[in-house]
Amino acid sequence: MTTTTGFSAQVLRLDPQRETDRICARIRELMRNQVKRGGVVVALSGGIDSSVTAALAVRALGRGRVIGLEMPERHSARETLALSGKVAAALGIPTRVEDISGILQSVGFYEKYDNAVRMVVPEYGDGWASKIVISGVANQPRFTSFYLVTQDAQKVQSTVRLPLQPYLEIVAATNFKQRIRKMLEYYHADRLNYAVAGTPNRLEYDQGFFVKLGDGAADIKPIAHLYKSQVYQLAEFLGIPEDIRSRKPTTDTYSLAQGQDEFYFSLPYQMMDLCLYARNHDVTAESAAPVLGLEPQQVRMVYRDIDTKRKTTRYLHLPPLLVEEVEWE
C-alpha cells in the first residue's frame, strides 16, 4: 500500500449542481434506452438516501412520473411516517401508505423474531423491545462480535453476547421486512408501468449492507456511486427538509432505535466514508489516522473489516449463476 498525499477530510467535497445534472441526465438516459418505463417508484423511509433519490428522480423525470411508497410497520420509529410524508410534500409527489404489519403477521415474522430472541433471553415477551449491536472499532477483536440489547416493560436495558444461531435467526426474520416492502414496490411499479429506484449509497452498496431480493433489488440505483457524506451534500442543495438532513442514520428495522454504526459499520458514516475512500485510493493507515482522529492500528482494523465485508457479501451482488451461459438468439 502506498502513501497518498493530499488525503484530508475535504476529499469527498463535490459540486452539487454539476453532480445533480450528471445523475439526472443518466437517469433519463437509462429510463429511455434501457429500462423503458414511464416513471419510477421510490420507497420513502424518512431517511436521507430515499429522500435524495426521490428528489433526483423528480428533477430528472418530473413530479408527475414519480410516486413515493411509505411502508411502516409496528416496529417503525414514530417519526418515520411523518418524515417520509414531509419529503413527499416538499417534492410535490403522490404517495401510497402501505402498513406492512399485517403481512408480517401473516408470514409469522413477529413470532419468529420473538422466538429467536428467546433463545438468548427466555423472558422476552410483550412490552419488550430489542436490537442487535456490534463491538466498536476501538475495542474490536479480530472478529466482529454481535450483542443483543433488550429493554423490558419497565424500560430496563440489558446486553448479552449473541451466539451465531440466534443471530442468524433474528436477521433472517427481519429480512422479511425488506423483501415485503420490495414486493409492494414492484406491485405498484407493475400496475403503473414504472421502474423501481433503489436507494443505497456507496458505503452500503460496497459493503453489502442490503438484503438480497429485498432493498438490494431495483431497476436503477441513482446514488450507489456516492459516499453518504456526498448524499448529504446533495440533500442540502436539493432542499431536503432540515429535520430529515439532521436525523441520525438509522436502520429503522428493530423495535429499539438502532444506528447503522451500531449494527453494521465500524464507525459513524463520516469516518467510514473517509476510511472507504482511503482504502480505495491506497492511503496508508499511518496517513489516514491523523485525519480520522484514530490510531493507525484502529484504521488497519477498519480496512480489514472493509475487505472482509467485500468478500463475505459478494454473493449479494451476484445474479443467478448458470451451469453454462445462455446465448441470446
Side-chain angles (χ1 to χ4, degrees), residues 7-38:
F7 178 70
S8 74
Q10 301 304 310
V11 294
L12 297 179
R13 296 298 303 176
L14 51 70
D15 180 335
Q17 176 72 69
R18 183 175 181 179
E19 186 61 24
T20 294
D21 291 345
R22 186 173 80 94
I23 293 172
C24 289
R26 182 60 172 159
I27 290 174
R28 287 190 290 269
E29 178 188 356
L30 290 172
M31 292 292 290
R32 179 177 61 251
N33 298 330
Q34 296 191 51
V35 181
K36 298 182 179 180
R37 293 292 184 270

Side-chain angles (χ1 to χ4, degrees), residues 133-269:
V133 299
I134 60 172
S135 51
V137 68
N139 57 359
Q140 189 170 349
R142 184 173 178 81
F143 298 102
T144 299
S145 298
F146 293 92
Y147 297 85
L148 179 69
V149 179
T150 58
Q151 178 177 283
D152 66 19
Q154 285 71 48
K155 308 298 182 184
V156 177
Q157 289 194 4
S158 61
T159 303
V160 61
R161 180 79 173 267
L162 195 55
L164 177 60
Q165 193 56 45
Y167 166 79
L168 293 174
E169 297 272 353
I170 290 170
V171 172
T174 58
N175 287 350
F176 273 122
K177 298 183 181 185
Q178 284 78 13
R179 290 183 174 126
I180 286 170
R181 288 184 174 118
K182 193 58 61 174
M183 174 184 71
L184 289 169
E185 289 172 53
Y186 272 100
Y187 161 73
H188 287 286
D190 288 348
R191 74 178 182 83
L192 295 168
N193 195 36
Y194 278 12
V196 169
T199 65
N201 58 65
R202 185 175 192 143
L203 186 58
E204 295 168 345
Y205 187 76
D206 182 294
Q207 293 290 279
F209 188 47
F210 57 87
V211 175
K212 190 164 189 173
L213 302 182
D215 54 340
D219 300 305
I220 60 171
K221 296 181 178 181
I223 62 170
H225 65 292
L226 295 177
Y227 293 89
K228 196 171 186 78
S229 306
Q230 296 173 326
V231 176
Y232 276 95
Q233 293 173 52
L234 287 195
E236 183 176 6
F237 171 75
L238 293 167
I240 301 302
E242 169 62 26
D243 41 2
I244 294 173
R245 290 189 281 123
S246 62
R247 187 188 191 192
K248 181 181 177 181
T250 173
T251 64
D252 203 22
T253 297
Y254 291 83
S255 49
L256 277 180
Q258 179 200 56
Q260 291 182 350
D261 53 325
E262 288 184 296
F263 175 62
Y264 197 78
F265 298 114
S266 302
L267 297 165
Y269 77 86

Side-chain angles (χ1 to χ4, degrees), residues 128 274 277 308 328:
W128 287 55
L274 289 170
Y277 178 93
T308 298
W328 291 99

